[in-house]
Amino acid sequence: MTAISVLDLTPVPEGSTESQALHNTIDLARHVDALGYRRHWLAEHHGIPSVASSSPEVLIGHVAMATERIRVGSGGIMLPNHSSLRIAEEFKVLEALHPGRIDLGIGRAPGTDQLTALAIRRSREALTADDFPNQLGELLAWGGHAEFPAGHPYARIKAIPTDVMLPPVFLLGSSDYSAQSAAVNGLGFAFAAHINPGGAIGALRMYREQFVPGYVERPHAILTLAVIVGEDDEHAAQLASSGHLSMVMLRAGRPGPIPSVETAMRFQPTDPQQRMILEQVKRSMISGGPETVRARVEELMVSSGADELMVTTLVHDHEERKASYTRLAAALDIAVPEPAAAESVPA
């Protein structure tokens, strides 16, 4: 049976607040933990009114405390926004406090616009630097899974706690670059098909073909999809309309909280660009009743060869979001697992 996991962007519904969205994330985590989902990953985004996931490392600790079985991690930490030493320390602390239940997903995009990224990184040189491979190497060395090269100036620095190794590390991406980087470093890989629907098959094939045992002994590929499961196809289309309009607004440079279904159902694109964006967004999301979604998801899992499915669900109503995950669990026949044991590799 394919494992199913959650990618949570902590969406902010119209008429609510960012603070409530954070509490909704905790509530969703408890819900999917009880349903038998394998992982609950928290995203990193900055300055986007529709999502409140600005500090996944803080949320991870709270979600882990509020749940019992599910693995909790980042989906992902945008490594260029941070120092590798700081991330190594934070995730070793999380692993020490919640042994065997933490994942570290790493991305290389800023997770925001260029001006906000500049404010985060504090210099134009840091904003334009292309040193992700060096950052990743430092992270793995401080995490206890690699060695610094001889004579490296950081070799004597320790990431505390020193008696804990980094939790399982995954690279996240939506391109061949990320797939290749995960493969040559022997890491798990999560492909963002909700961002690049057409790139999954080729990227996951490249990952498997070029994989070299390293941090893990065998490749582990996660396929991330945007999925909404309604009571039937019509109900799902209504729920999905909020996410569709939210993405149209974001890409048109007018971001805002997730609009209500009532607002979204009244929306009509007024120009060719809006119509093009709306069609692209619809193609990137899978929505329907349980049987419709099951057929589509199973088709994509087989064609991609992924080991695990991760789902992000963007709807206005929090209870409907929980209900969508409930319907997905039933449609794909997942079962409640035993309490988590220590896990050193992404099984």
Side-chain angles (χ1 to χ4, degrees):
M1 181 177 61
T2 300
I4 311 175
S5 299
V6 174
L7 173 61
D8 188 354
L9 277 62
T10 313
V12 182
E14 183 181 63
S16 187
T17 65
E18 287 103 339
S19 296
Q20 184 58 52
L22 296 171
H23 288 285
N24 289 347
T25 277
I26 304 298
D27 185 51
L28 177 65
R30 292 193 183 103
H31 182 68
V32 296
D33 184 28
L35 290 172
Y37 282 76
R38 175 175 287 189
R39 309 178 202 273
H40 188 121
W41 281 6
L42 293 311
E44 178 184 346
H45 292 287
H46 303 278
I48 302 175
S50 57
V51 294
S53 54
S54 59
S55 187
E57 62 275 26
V58 174
L59 272 176
I60 288 167
H62 283 272
V63 169
M65 289 179 64
T67 54
E68 297 179 2
R69 305 177 179 89
I70 200 166
R71 297 186 64 86
V72 189
S74 55
I77 291 290
M78 300 296 107
L79 190 56
N81 291 345
H82 310 272
S83 86
S84 297
L85 176 59
R86 193 73 185 97
I87 296 305
E89 291 175 333
E90 288 173 351
F91 277 80
K92 290 175 77 175
V93 166
L94 287 167
E95 178 66 17
L97 294 174
H98 306 282
R101 292 189 56 212
I102 304 298
D103 295 324
L104 172 53
I106 294 293
R108 63 187 182 96
T112 188
D113 62 88
Q114 289 294 295
L115 183 60
T116 307
L118 177 60
I120 292 170
R121 300 181 190 181
R122 299 185 61 81
S123 76
R124 296 193 182 278
E125 291 76 15
L127 185 62
T128 58
D130 187 17
D131 59 351
F132 181 79
N134 292 335
Q135 277 194 287
L136 180 60
E138 292 170 3
L139 176 69
L140 294 176
W142 274 315
H145 296 286
E147 298 288 339
F148 280 108
H152 195 285
Y154 296 160
R156 293 193 298 171
I157 299 174
K158 305 298 181 184
I160 295 173
T162 57
D163 60 333
V164 178
M165 298 180 76
L166 274 181
V169 178
F170 298 78
L171 282 192
L172 283 56
S174 57
S175 68
D176 291 349
Y177 174 90
S178 300
Q180 186 175 45
S181 184
V184 299
N185 285 284
L187 302 172
F189 178 52
F191 186 86
H194 60 298
I195 296 175
N196 180 15
I201 294 174
L204 293 182
R205 182 184 300 116
M206 174 183 289
Y207 168 64
R208 292 188 179 281
E209 290 174 349
Q210 299 187 16
F211 182 84
V212 178
Y215 180 66
V216 293
E217 291 300 313
R218 61 186 185 275
H220 186 88
I222 299 175
L223 180 67
T224 304
L225 300 171
V227 177
I228 296 172
V229 188
E231 296 172 357
D232 51 34
D233 290 357
E234 181 180 357
H235 180 228
Q238 293 175 355
L239 296 178
S241 65
S242 295
H244 294 162
L245 179 54
S246 178
M247 294 303 297
V248 170
M249 293 165 57
L250 178 64
R251 295 184 186 180
R254 297 184 291 104
I258 312 299
S260 68
V261 169
E262 291 74 20
T263 298
M265 293 295 287
R266 290 196 301 267
F267 170 73
Q268 294 293 331
T270 57
D271 58 61
Q273 183 183 23
Q274 282 189 345
R275 285 192 289 271
M276 180 186 69
I277 294 173
L278 182 58
E279 289 306 311
Q280 289 175 343
V281 169
K282 287 182 177 180
R283 287 196 297 270
S284 70
M285 294 186 183
I286 298 171
S287 64
E291 292 306 314
T292 299
V293 169
R294 176 176 183 140
R296 183 63 179 138
V297 165
E298 288 182 344
E299 175 189 352
L300 289 171
M301 291 299 290
V302 170
S303 62
S304 69
D307 302 293
E308 184 174 338
L309 169 67
M310 182 168 281
V311 168
T312 184
T313 297
L314 190 64
V315 298
H316 175 266
D317 185 83
H318 175 60
E319 292 302 322
E320 287 284 14
R321 186 162 69 123
K322 290 166 59 179
S324 177
Y325 280 110
T326 300
R327 296 182 192 109
L328 181 64
L332 298 182
D333 301 320
I334 67 172
V336 177
E338 295 298 320
E343 183 178 336
S344 61
V345 298

